[in-house]
Amino acid sequence: MQALSAPPSTNQTPERRSPLYIAPLAGEFACDVTVLFDENGHVYFADERPEDRDVDGLLWERWGGSPTGEPDWAAHHPARQCEVMDGRPLCGVCKGDPDRDERGTLWLLHADENTQALVSFPTNITTATPAVCIPCARRALRACRELQGGFIALRVREAPVIGVRGTLYSPTDPPQPNQVVRFGDDALHRLVARQLMRELIDAELDVTTLVAADFPTACQAVGALSVPGPVWG
């Protein structure tokens, strides 16, 4: 199954001063909607609108408000995250081209000291975090508290879109947030999507592009990296 298209645009662009394109701003919010099941066991909104689904029929979180105010560096606006993740990878900060060299495209991910499983490189990582260009990576490291707690720079030659993350619903059990469902899985019919997911194939450490010494508040991981599981970011 091919990657699903991004949710329909709301025709709202963040303020030009926003330092992170994919971040929701203070004036934007996820709408409170009622999720129901149809006779086929598929989810739908009680007041569903055509713009709630993409062209492939996948149901997406509905967001409202206006793109004003300060950004939330730790979150993603669904429509804008999809813009930079679907198709050719774009920088999640400026929406331009990410950095590429002979080692592949640059990815910058959070990595802290409290993770539980050691991973050796190269490895595959599933993530909702977009690629990044070098100037924006440096800006992010100086502005994002999460990255300041620890970061990892990777080079990736292949990063296909493999699924979506969102809230998985059941007719009998409570909703399960932050579930990753791959394309082709029947569970897609029970998911309200929030993010597109890429799989970083054979990701390699890049310990030269973003030197930890340049960012004294951040601790760059080198060698083996601790991560909480196969889905990261």
Side-chain angles (χ1 to χ4, degrees):
M1 182 176 179
Q2 296 297 313
L4 298 172
S5 65
S9 172
T10 59
N11 294 319
Q12 291 185 330
T13 302
E15 293 175 332
R16 294 181 63 86
R17 67 181 179 85
S18 173
L20 180 59
Y21 181 73
I22 64 170
L25 303 183
E28 298 175 308
F29 53 87
C31 298
D32 185 13
V33 294
T34 300
V35 178
L36 302 172
F37 282 88
D38 66 17
E39 63 275 11
N40 297 313
H42 299 178
V43 291
Y44 69 97
F45 293 153
D47 61 343
E48 189 166 316
R49 309 165 184 172
E51 60 267 25
D52 290 326
R53 294 184 185 269
D54 61 28
V55 297
D56 296 284
L58 184 64
L59 189 62
W60 285 84
E61 281 187 0
R62 183 190 298 169
W63 278 60
S66 60
T68 58
E70 295 301 315
D72 180 354
W73 282 84
H76 295 164
H77 187 284
R80 297 197 293 271
Q81 190 261 1
C82 287
E83 281 187 68
V84 299
M85 287 285 275
D86 197 22
R88 180 172 62 90
L90 297 174
C91 174
V93 181
C94 70
K95 199 183 171 185
D97 289 326
D99 187 72
R100 296 184 179 90
D101 63 15
E102 69 280 358
R103 298 168 295 175
T105 301
L106 179 64
W107 248 267
L108 180 67
L109 301 178
H110 169 62
D112 61 32
E113 297 177 353
N114 298 319
T115 51
Q116 301 172 357
L118 289 176
V119 174
S120 58
F121 289 88
T123 191
N124 296 349
I125 295 172
T126 301
T127 184
T129 300
V132 69
C133 66
I134 292 175
C136 286
R138 290 172 174 157
R139 290 171 59 200
L141 286 169
R142 292 188 172 95
C144 179
R145 291 184 180 179
E146 193 169 68
L147 289 174
Q148 288 169 6
F151 71 91
I152 189 73
L154 302 172
R155 290 289 176 172
V156 183
R157 292 188 176 89
E158 185 181 359
V161 178
I162 53 84
V164 288
R165 176 158 59 188
T167 301
L168 190 63
Y169 288 83
S170 165
T172 56
D173 298 319
Q176 301 178 60
N178 297 319
Q179 299 299 301
V180 175
V181 179
R182 288 181 173 254
F183 298 139
D185 191 322
D186 286 342
L188 283 172
H189 299 302
R190 296 187 288 110
L191 189 81
V192 177
R194 187 177 75 252
Q195 297 166 313
L196 282 178
M197 305 295 293
R198 285 187 182 270
E199 187 167 9
L200 311 184
I201 306 295
D202 292 333
E204 295 274 7
L205 280 171
D206 179 349
V207 296
T208 58
T209 300
L210 301 169
V211 181
D214 293 338
F215 305 96
T217 60
C219 176
Q220 186 179 29
V222 295
L225 173 72
S226 295
V227 297
V231 178
W232 193 12

